[in-house]
Amino acid sequence: MSDRFDLPAGFRWGAATAAYQIEGAVDEDGRGPSVWDVFAARPGAVRDGHTGAVACDHYHRYPEDIELMRGLGLDGYRFSVSWPRVLPTGAGAVNPAGLAFYDRLVDALLEADIAPLPTLFHWDLPQGLEDNGGWLNRDTAYRFAEYAAIVTDRLGDRVPTWITLNEPFVHTVFGYALGTHAPGRTLMFEALPAAHHQLLAHGLAASILHGRGLEVMLSNNLTPVWPASDSAGDVAAAQAYDVLHNRLFTDPVLLGRYPDLSALGVPDDIFGAVRPGDVDLIHTPALDGLGLNFYNPTRVAAPTDPALPFDLVGIPDVPHTAFGWPVVPSALTQLLLHLRDSYGEALPPITITENGCSVAGDTTPDQPRIDFMATHLDALARAVAEGIDIRGYYTWSLIDNLEWSEGFSQRFGLVHVDFETQCRTPKASYVWYRDLIAAHRKRFSK
Ligand code: IFM
């Protein structure tokens, strides 16, 4: 195939996963329980009672999965480290077998010439920390910094770049505000101290990693926010939602200040969570790269429920994924331009650390995923043409996996997984992505 996307030489092609979604082996080799093990055991919490107990059995099958990556010709693989595998209760004694797993994984990736891009926290908090308040407790930020030091002590000699957190917006809102994800708390805006403590954790860990000569990224799920109309009510609602979804998680890191939270009814100090000096701790270890997880834009209207400052409304007349998410690739270009306009010089190079879609059914048809990736890569190339520094694209996801509270019902993988047999079958999008990567590489080879 021809390389249709005008992306630069050295652009990194990758695929992403996360520990709880693929590893399984939750009781093996000394791993402690995570909030997701406990949450998934609650009747009705996860669709069809699915859990990550086995998931894709990647803990045992990682060599096969690395072969699939090698077959794609990936430059990089984004995975997450399971905190409770390394520190079973979140703090205290290290579990050597847990660290050894990531040691083997990293070595096997390097052997296959694939750069590991680990994320330190992708939502599977050790239950031991949740028992002390989880991310609502400031102490968790300090425990995260210790954990980051332990993991990078072991792997930092081979892994130069680290992502601290994945999507603190989603973890805060789904996990602590709405309760649809672990740990299942329903605190609405009083959940926001959990956001601040995650950002503090990021800042504390980033300082440690920088002290070791490592590069640090943060992966945020960002969305362009569209007011449903030009009415003052819709515009104000869109601004409030933009603060909650985007700016709360990006302004302190890039600009060293929180946005005005008054439209959310949240005090400046986020219910006493923000202490003097905290925002400097978050901002000062300058990000070496911003990880952008992009799925869709969000359309917002003035609230009908007085308890909320906005209503999320549908986007008509566009295709939707199997998950019901609107497909609007141009929104990715729009978002990237908006980030440049908003943050200017403070915006570090961007890597797309997630982008993809769920497609219903098994291995075929897979054309919707190919179309999704192609149109989003085209949108990315348009942003590159506008001068935005975009370093790579990690598709979500390498393999079908546990889609959190949706269980195994949403298939995001380039590789089909039969969850009964664990048989992996590359889909049409796998072949398409493989050929695209090869064509891009060929274009720049001498
Ligand atoms: O599966 C998730 C992932 O864990 C975080 N980002 C969004 C993906 C699709 O919902």
Side-chain angles (χ1 to χ4, degrees), residues 17-18 21 78 122-123 166-167 170 174 181 221 293-295 323 325 353-358 396-397 401-404 406 410 412:
T17 64
Q21 295 181 270
R78 176 180 177 230
H122 197 128
W123 308 348
N166 181 70
E167 300 181 358
V170 176
F174 288 15
H181 278 188
N221 176 310
N293 294 358
F294 178 76
Y295 289 92
F323 214 156
W325 296 354
T353 43
E354 287 184 26
N355 177 245
C357 67
S358 66
W396 185 271
S397 178
N401 57 54
L402 183 88
E403 179 53 28
W404 305 109
E406 292 297 318
Q410 301 296 334
F412 278 87

Side-chain angles (χ1 to χ4, degrees), residues 262-322:
S262 57
L264 307 176
V266 173
D268 286 350
D269 68 353
I270 314 189
F271 305 108
V274 183
R275 296 194 189 162
D278 279 5
V279 178
D280 275 352
L281 289 172
I282 293 168
H283 170 61
T284 302
L287 274 192
D288 300 293
L290 178 66
L292 172 58
N293 294 358
F294 178 76
Y295 289 92
N296 52 258
T298 307
R299 189 159 164 264
V300 175
T304 45
D305 172 356
L308 282 178
F310 46 70
D311 260 7
L312 303 187
V313 293
I315 301 181
D317 305 324
V318 300
H320 285 72
T321 70

Side-chain angles (χ1 to χ4, degrees), residues 10-271:
F11 188 83
R12 293 179 91 78
W13 298 100
T17 64
Y20 189 71
Q21 295 181 270
I22 66 164
E23 282 182 3
V26 293
D27 293 326
E28 275 183 58
D29 294 340
R31 177 189 179 277
S34 79
V35 291
W36 268 97
D37 299 295
V38 174
F39 182 76
R42 281 192 205 166
V46 175
R47 183 186 287 249
D48 300 325
H50 291 159
T51 76
V54 177
C56 307
D57 195 29
H58 172 81
Y59 187 74
H60 300 111
R61 294 171 193 261
Y62 72 90
E64 184 182 351
D65 293 337
I66 291 175
E67 275 314 302
L68 288 164
M69 297 176 213
R70 199 204 292 263
L72 276 171
L74 295 187
D75 295 304
Y77 172 52
R78 176 180 177 230
F79 61 96
S80 78
V81 177
S82 161
W83 187 346
R85 209 179 274 295
V86 174
L87 288 155
T89 60
V94 173
N95 174 30
L99 265 183
F101 169 67
Y102 296 105
D103 212 39
R104 293 195 296 277
L105 178 64
V106 162
D107 282 345
L109 287 166
L110 293 173
E111 176 71 21
D113 211 15
I114 297 167
L117 179 59
T119 303
L120 286 162
F121 180 68
H122 197 128
W123 308 348
D124 48 352
L125 191 76
Q127 181 62 31
L129 295 180
E130 175 59 22
D131 293 341
N132 289 327
W135 286 111
L136 296 168
N137 184 346
R138 182 179 177 89
D139 185 63
T140 298
Y142 294 91
R143 302 291 77 79
F144 179 78
E146 287 168 7
Y147 155 66
I150 289 164
V151 177
T152 55
D153 250 353
R154 180 68 175 261
L155 304 176
D157 58 335
R158 285 154 288 160
V159 180
T161 306
W162 293 77
I163 297 171
T164 51
L165 311 174
N166 181 70
E167 300 181 358
F169 162 77
V170 176
H171 189 53
T172 302
V173 169
F174 288 15
Y176 287 85
L178 302 174
T180 51
H181 278 188
R185 303 216 192 190
T186 50
L187 297 169
M188 300 308 284
F189 287 113
E190 287 180 22
L192 293 193
H196 177 66
H197 294 144
Q198 286 176 78
L199 292 171
L200 180 62
H202 158 79
L204 295 169
S207 287
I208 293 171
L209 270 53
H210 278 171
R212 296 169 177 199
L214 303 172
E215 291 196 340
V216 178
M217 294 169 58
L218 167 69
S219 284
N220 270 342
N221 176 310
L222 300 178
T223 183
V225 182
W226 297 347
S229 77
D230 291 340
S231 76
D234 287 353
V235 170
Q239 284 167 350
Y241 189 74
D242 184 41
V243 165
L244 177 66
H245 193 128
N246 298 316
R247 295 186 52 202
L248 177 61
F249 297 91
T250 312
D251 284 13
V253 180
L254 297 184
L255 301 179
R257 58 174 183 265
Y258 273 111
D260 178 2
L261 301 172
S262 57
L264 307 176
V266 173
D268 286 350
D269 68 353
I270 314 189
F271 305 108

